[in-house]
Amino acid sequence: MYSENRKTEAKNLLPGATGDWELVIGLEVHAQVISKAKLFSGSPADFGGAPNDHVSFVDAAMPGMLPVINKKCVEQAIRTGLGLKAKINCKSVFDRKNYFYPDLPQGYQISQFKQPIVGEGQVQLDLEDGSSVTIGIERLHLEQDAGKSLHDKADGLSHVDLNRSGVALMEIVSYPDIRSIEEAKAYVSKLRSILRYLGTCDGNMDQGSMRADVNVSVRRPGAPFGTRCEIKNVNSIRFMGQAIAYEAARQIDILEDGGEILQETRLFDPNHGETRSMRSKEEAHDYRYFPDPDLPPLEFEQSWVDEIAATLPELPDEKKARFIKELGLSAYDADVLVSDREAADYYEAVADGVEAKAAANWVINEVFGRMNKMGLSFADIPVPPQANTAILRMVAVSEISGKIAKELFDIIWNEGGDPVKIVDERGLKQVSDTGALEKIIDELIAANPDKAAEVKQKPKMIGWFVGQVMQASKGKANPQMVNQILRKKLI
Ligand code: ADP
Ligand code: MG
């Protein structure tokens, strides 16, 4: 944890009219827990459904209903804490956070305040320039989500949908260690990636299952922290970047004009690309937190934590380190491959039995390239990893050329089938037969005597002939052999 001591690198300083400024950011991320039921009731926690379909008497706060903790949600919070290398508190307390809102029928949210289930942890960011920073996590606590007010269903009427009411959220609070927009984006991406690896949150920001409150302040380099503003409920990484940029510029303008930043809660309006004040510190809620009398303190044994720890998957940082150290991949390739657990699994299946670097290039360029172009997810890829392995193996032993490999991939993507059989049946094998190649080459030389003469002066011109041979052989000529024969005949 660096917090106030962490300096900003020169390239991340924001130039103002009167000198440079540092950007200071701290994020509170709300992540919806993957669980069948809600945090304190048995209603389904699924996204969607008709309004008020997933609502029990507990979620609707009927008098006399009592909350009962869902063990699965507790396990998910512990799992997440372990993934964030954080301290797990075997005793924590649920508090009531009191406020009035139409979509909060209890009149309070059950949350954790002074004693959260998870304490300090960390998230490592690998930045584009190859450097790494570690961002401190202050805490992770469990809390209930609220319902949703709908104001656009009927004229003059508002509706309330309580499907989300009581769904378990993890609030993950960072220290104000973040110093640039790039870092803020990298932090949210990394956190999302870790949660997905762990299977504790699906990270779908567009469905609201992950959203961030973004705290922003500016200061002169090395000065004490400035007053922050909190931008509520940002639900995309791109919007977060825009919101921070707008907010930093706004605060710098005010300070350079001799003004003062008022601590307030703001909202980002994506249509206008600006943040607007929602409420000032004076209007801030007094939540009057107190321990929920309906719930005893949450206590469990360290042995349960150890059991959960033993089931943790290999996480992105460790996977990346292994890909670099054991497979010899570049940091860049490893980053691309580990950002998503399914991507990493697919890659490892492809690389089983062929050269690791060749497999990485192939998967990143051919498979991911096409997936991204078509907007597909891994579940929709029609080519199983093993088909890629078979293609790469044929390339490695010069049985097919790189060009044919791509065509073959196309065929399998569209029609399916066994790559080895397809190569046999459609005669796609690379021509390494010297006699056959010499015949094509002799004909080309005879037809282009002027070009042949030119090659003697400018040996680089040989490329033209290689191209012609490849074309004449429909991409099947072995390029190394073509080169050799051409050199022998022309130079
Ligand atoms: P509160 O309880 O009022 O929300 P916290 O201390 O919990 O305040 O901080 C909330 C978030 O604000 C944390 O993520 C923290 O990192 C961030 N934060 C605190 N001070 C600053 C600051 N000066 N600039 C930017 N972010 C800050
Ligand atoms: Mg807070």
Side-chain angles (χ1 to χ4, degrees):
M1 197 242 303
Y2 321 83
S3 282
E4 206 161 69
N5 293 331
R6 182 171 178 221
K7 290 211 182 70
T8 302
E9 289 151 60
K11 67 167 193 205
N12 287 330
L13 290 172
L14 303 175
T18 60
D20 289 338
W21 295 89
E22 278 186 13
L23 183 53
V24 174
I25 303 163
L27 295 172
E28 298 164 89
V29 170
H30 289 90
Q32 186 178 323
V33 173
I34 294 179
S35 64
K36 287 207 181 79
K38 295 182 179 180
L39 183 54
F40 297 114
S41 85
S43 321
D46 307 344
F47 178 75
N52 298 308
D53 244 13
H54 304 161
V55 185
S56 71
F57 288 132
V58 176
D59 312 319
M62 289 297 157
M65 294 298 117
L66 289 173
V68 178
I69 186 84
N70 177 346
K71 188 175 176 188
K72 178 69 186 185
C73 296
V74 176
E75 182 185 330
Q76 293 286 59
I78 296 171
R79 220 174 151 67
T80 306
L82 292 168
L84 300 174
K85 304 187 170 37
K87 181 174 181 297
I88 308 298
N89 297 321
C90 290
K91 179 177 178 192
S92 63
V93 172
F94 284 104
D95 297 280
R96 289 187 181 180
K97 181 179 180 180
N98 300 279
Y99 61 98
F100 172 78
Y101 212 76
D103 58 26
L104 186 76
Q106 287 169 152
Y108 55 84
Q109 177 192 28
I110 305 178
S111 180
Q112 297 190 302
F113 186 48
K114 288 204 178 115
Q115 298 187 63
I117 182 167
V118 176
E120 288 186 333
Q122 60 189 59
V123 172
Q124 189 187 310
L125 310 183
D126 297 334
L127 302 168
E128 247 161 46
D129 64 0
S131 66
S132 296
V133 279
T134 304
I135 303 302
I137 300 284
E138 186 192 314
R139 59 190 276 150
L140 174 158
H141 64 253
L142 275 169
E143 63 184 26
Q144 299 175 298
D145 205 349
K148 201 163 85 178
S149 298
L150 307 161
H151 305 294
D152 55 359
K153 295 287 160 198
D155 267 354
L157 293 175
S158 285
H159 292 76
V160 175
D161 176 5
L162 294 180
N163 279 351
R164 241 175 39 196
S165 167
V167 166
L169 300 179
M170 298 179 281
E171 178 169 337
I172 303 165
V173 183
S174 87
Y175 279 109
D177 286 352
I178 300 167
R179 292 289 179 274
S180 69
I181 292 176
E182 186 202 354
E183 287 178 11
K185 289 180 168 181
Y187 173 82
V188 175
S189 304
K190 186 60 172 287
L191 193 57
R192 184 172 57 181
S193 165
I194 293 172
L195 297 178
R196 284 178 169 166
Y197 264 72
L198 293 166
T200 56
C201 170
D202 67 25
N204 291 336
M205 296 186 83
D206 47 354
Q207 292 182 354
S209 45
M210 204 174 136
R211 43 194 199 264
D213 296 344
V214 186
N215 296 271
V216 179
S217 66
V218 296
R219 65 172 180 178
R220 290 296 188 187
F225 279 155
T227 304
R228 71 189 150 100
C229 290
E230 178 178 11
I231 310 159
K232 276 274 177 211
N233 263 327
V234 181
N235 65 355
S236 97
I237 294 182
R238 194 163 56 90
F239 289 163
M240 179 179 70
Q242 292 172 1
I244 297 171
Y246 179 87
E247 189 54 26
R250 188 187 71 86
Q251 293 184 13
I252 291 173
D253 273 354
I254 292 175
L255 293 170
E256 293 200 325
D257 284 348
E260 206 184 330
I261 304 300
L262 301 176
Q263 188 173 335
E264 59 184 358
T265 305
R266 300 179 68 88
L267 278 182
F268 179 65
D269 173 356
N271 296 321
H272 296 90
E274 59 186 32
T275 64
R276 275 192 230 119
S277 181
M278 193 173 136
R279 56 173 182 261
S280 67
K281 194 181 179 185
E282 288 73 46
E283 300 160 293
H285 300 293
D286 174 3
Y287 293 119
R288 290 174 297 123
Y289 280 101
F290 63 87
D292 192 309
D294 290 340
L295 288 160
L298 176 61
E299 289 183 82
F300 46 79
E301 300 289 325
Q302 178 61 36
S303 58
W304 188 40
V305 178
D306 298 340
E307 269 171 46
I308 298 169
T311 67
L312 241 50
E314 182 182 43
L315 289 168
D317 288 337
E318 289 97 59
K319 212 184 264 300
K320 179 180 171 186
R322 179 167 63 82
F323 281 6
I324 293 174
K325 195 161 166 268
E326 288 177 21
L327 304 181
L329 300 190
S330 68
Y332 176 82
D333 285 355
D335 256 335
V336 174
L337 292 168
V338 305
S339 66
D340 190 298
R341 188 173 173 180
E342 283 172 300
D345 289 349
Y346 190 94
Y347 163 70
E348 286 207 87
V350 172
D352 187 11
V354 290
E355 211 254 318
K357 277 192 212 170
N361 278 338
W362 177 266
V363 168
I364 291 172
N365 295 317
E366 303 312 316
V367 185
F368 294 179
R370 182 169 309 217
M371 264 177 75
N372 291 339
K373 214 161 72 195
M374 300 178 72
L376 298 179
S377 67
F378 277 91
D380 307 319
I381 302 187
V383 182
Q386 295 72 21
N388 295 284
T389 315
I391 296 175
L392 289 170
R393 214 178 271 140
M394 289 189 278
V395 175
V397 297
S398 295
E399 209 164 286
I400 58 173
S401 65
K403 186 164 176 290
I404 292 291
K406 290 180 190 177
E407 283 178 33
L408 187 53
F409 181 68
D410 253 352
I411 295 173
I412 296 167
W413 185 287
N414 294 314
E415 304 168 26
D418 173 8
V420 176
K421 263 201 201 130
I422 294 173
V423 166
D424 266 351
E425 285 165 8
R426 306 197 189 184
L428 298 177
K429 273 219 176 97
Q430 183 156 261
V431 180
S432 302
D433 165 1
T434 324
L437 291 176
E438 280 199 351
K439 185 163 168 281
I440 301 175
I441 289 170
D442 287 341
E443 280 168 18
L444 271 169
I445 293 175
N448 301 282
D450 46 336
K451 289 263 199 266
E454 238 179 288
V455 173
K456 284 212 188 358
Q457 311 301 321
K458 287 189 248 159
K460 268 195 191 149
M461 279 289 298
I462 211 162
W464 182 84
F465 276 99
V466 177
Q468 294 295 310
V469 181
M470 294 312 286
Q471 223 171 35
S473 68
K474 298 200 172 64
K476 288 188 292 184
N478 178 334
Q480 272 119 5
M481 293 193 65
V482 172
N483 244 300
Q484 267 173 21
I485 301 171
L486 279 168
R487 275 172 195 285
K488 207 172 64 198
K489 289 190 187 281
L490 291 177
I491 301 176

